[in-house]
Amino acid sequence: MAEVAVALSDVTLIFSDANGDPVLAVDDVSLEVPQGQFLAIVGPSGCGKTTILNMLSGLINSTLGTVVKNGEVVTGPSMDVGYMLARSALFPWRSARRNVEMPMEIRGVGKAERRRRADELLDMVKLGDFKTKFPSQLSQGMRQRVAIARTLAIEPKLWLLDEPFSALDAQTRITVQNEFLRLWENTGSTVILVTHDLSEAVLLADRVIVMTARPGKIKLDQVIDIPRPRRVDDLLDNEHFMQLEARIWKELRDELV
Ligand SMILES: Nc1ncnc2c1ncn2[C@@H]1O[C@H](COP(=O)(O)OP(=O)(O)OP(=O)(O)O)[C@@H](O)[C@H]1O
Ligand SMILES: [Mg+2]
């Protein structure tokens, strides 16, 4: 049996709204993710996907239930998690390259190695000619690619990715998804990917979870038994991929009213 990377046990999260009234965001969710698994979470807007990532990263604490990572209860943020927030902000006063270097700086990686790795990752996300540009000189999709490169600059035990590819045009998205798969396949890291794109979830993940509309509960937990290594563009007309996507879509569409 693989080691458990993260486990949510009967986790409930209640926010309070502007009037101080309770908002039930996550309703009694239990979930176990083995080390090295690529899990995708899909569900309607507001169903609690980002809230789950925030709890896993230690940014917020569950109201009820426990969140365990690597065998320990999560009580706050830690260095072994790479979290790419939706609309991840770059540091405006740092160039693309220096943004990507940031997490390596924090971990004490030497300057030459940092630079080498940052340049390699920026080439990978097709920003080789923009290394010295500042965020204000980049388009939205380019900034997102810098944020992806920054997230990939370290190889944490756990990646939490909140809609990382959403602002990319279709062509770039396929390239970056393929590169991400290639990189991840050699790491043994666990990935939890939140996405609105069901095809993306099925193409990339080992397992897809569908959540209900708020308050979010797990509605479907589907294994994606498509062999690896995968290439996104080869799979788009694959029969098994289409069957899986159709099965999951049936569950998801009822929640999207
Ligand atoms: N800080 C907060 N205070 C109060 N309510 C909140 C807070 N953060 C989130 N919520 C509420 O909790 C619910 C879940 O929010 P969450 O951001 O997790 O949804 P989501 O599934 O990530 O949605 P989306 O797909 O739009 O990103 C929503 O109804 C939202 O209004
Ligand atoms: Mg969200």
Side-chain angles (χ1 to χ4, degrees):
M1 273 292 281
E3 183 193 339
V4 175
V6 296
L8 304 178
S9 309
D10 305 314
V11 166
T12 293
L13 196 287
I14 304 171
F15 286 112
S16 38
D17 68 11
N19 302 319
D21 293 325
V23 178
L24 180 58
V26 175
D27 185 14
D28 196 21
V29 166
S30 295
L31 173 67
E32 220 172 71
V33 185
Q35 181 62 39
Q37 186 168 68
F38 194 137
L39 170 75
I41 304 179
V42 296
S45 182
C47 74
K49 303 179 296 296
T50 297
T51 304
I52 288 178
L53 294 190
N54 283 337
M55 289 190 286
L56 289 170
S57 72
L59 290 177
I60 56 175
N61 292 320
S62 62
T63 313
L64 293 169
T66 51
V67 179
V68 172
K69 181 167 60 66
N70 301 328
E72 287 179 18
V73 175
V74 176
T75 52
S78 73
M79 294 277 263
D80 57 359
V81 178
Y83 191 178
M84 182 173 161
L85 305 149
R87 294 162 290 278
S88 260
L90 300 176
F91 299 98
W93 59 88
R94 286 185 160 234
S95 65
R97 175 191 270 148
R98 299 258 297 129
N99 265 284
V100 179
E101 285 186 36
M102 185 81 177
M104 295 185 275
E105 267 176 62
I106 294 170
R107 286 162 179 81
V109 177
K111 197 170 165 109
E113 172 57 15
R114 240 162 46 206
R115 166 78 45 109
R116 190 198 62 73
R117 179 85 180 132
D119 285 358
E120 180 181 73
L121 286 162
L122 285 166
D123 287 337
M124 189 189 104
V125 296
K126 308 274 180 273
L127 287 176
D129 295 337
F130 295 86
K131 290 171 184 146
T132 57
K133 300 284 188 236
F134 289 85
S136 61
Q137 300 170 299
L138 302 173
S139 72
Q140 191 51 43
M142 290 164 123
R143 285 182 213 149
Q144 195 177 27
R145 279 184 275 156
V146 176
I148 292 168
R150 184 175 62 184
T151 309
L152 300 181
I154 48 161
E155 284 179 11
K157 259 190 119 171
L158 174 64
W159 265 307
L160 303 174
L161 307 175
D162 201 350
E163 302 178 41
F165 309 121
S166 59
L168 307 182
D169 66 84
Q171 250 49 54
T172 309
R173 182 178 308 154
I174 291 175
T175 309
V176 175
Q177 286 167 335
N178 276 331
E179 290 297 333
F180 178 62
L181 278 182
R182 203 168 55 80
L183 200 143
W184 166 75
E185 273 157 7
N186 301 317
T187 61
S189 299
T190 310
V191 179
I192 303 185
L193 166 81
V194 163
T195 178
H196 279 116
D197 180 344
L198 179 54
S199 308
E200 173 174 286
V202 179
L203 290 166
L204 300 185
D206 298 314
R207 175 184 178 194
V208 175
I209 279 180
V210 177
M211 295 187 62
T212 63
R214 190 179 71 80
K217 279 180 167 295
I218 294 173
K219 182 174 187 189
L220 177 74
D221 189 342
Q222 174 71 50
V223 172
I224 308 297
D225 52 353
I226 300 174
R228 295 191 189 277
R230 298 184 196 165
R231 276 192 57 86
V232 170
D233 33 345
D234 291 344
L235 284 173
L236 289 167
D237 57 358
N238 172 293
E239 189 114 344
H240 189 46
F241 158 72
M242 288 191 279
Q243 283 166 353
L244 283 164
E245 192 186 26
R247 186 183 309 163
I248 301 171
W249 171 242
K250 258 172 52 188
E251 299 293 326
L252 181 58
R253 80 177 161 204
D254 296 339
E255 303 300 321
L256 299 177
V257 281

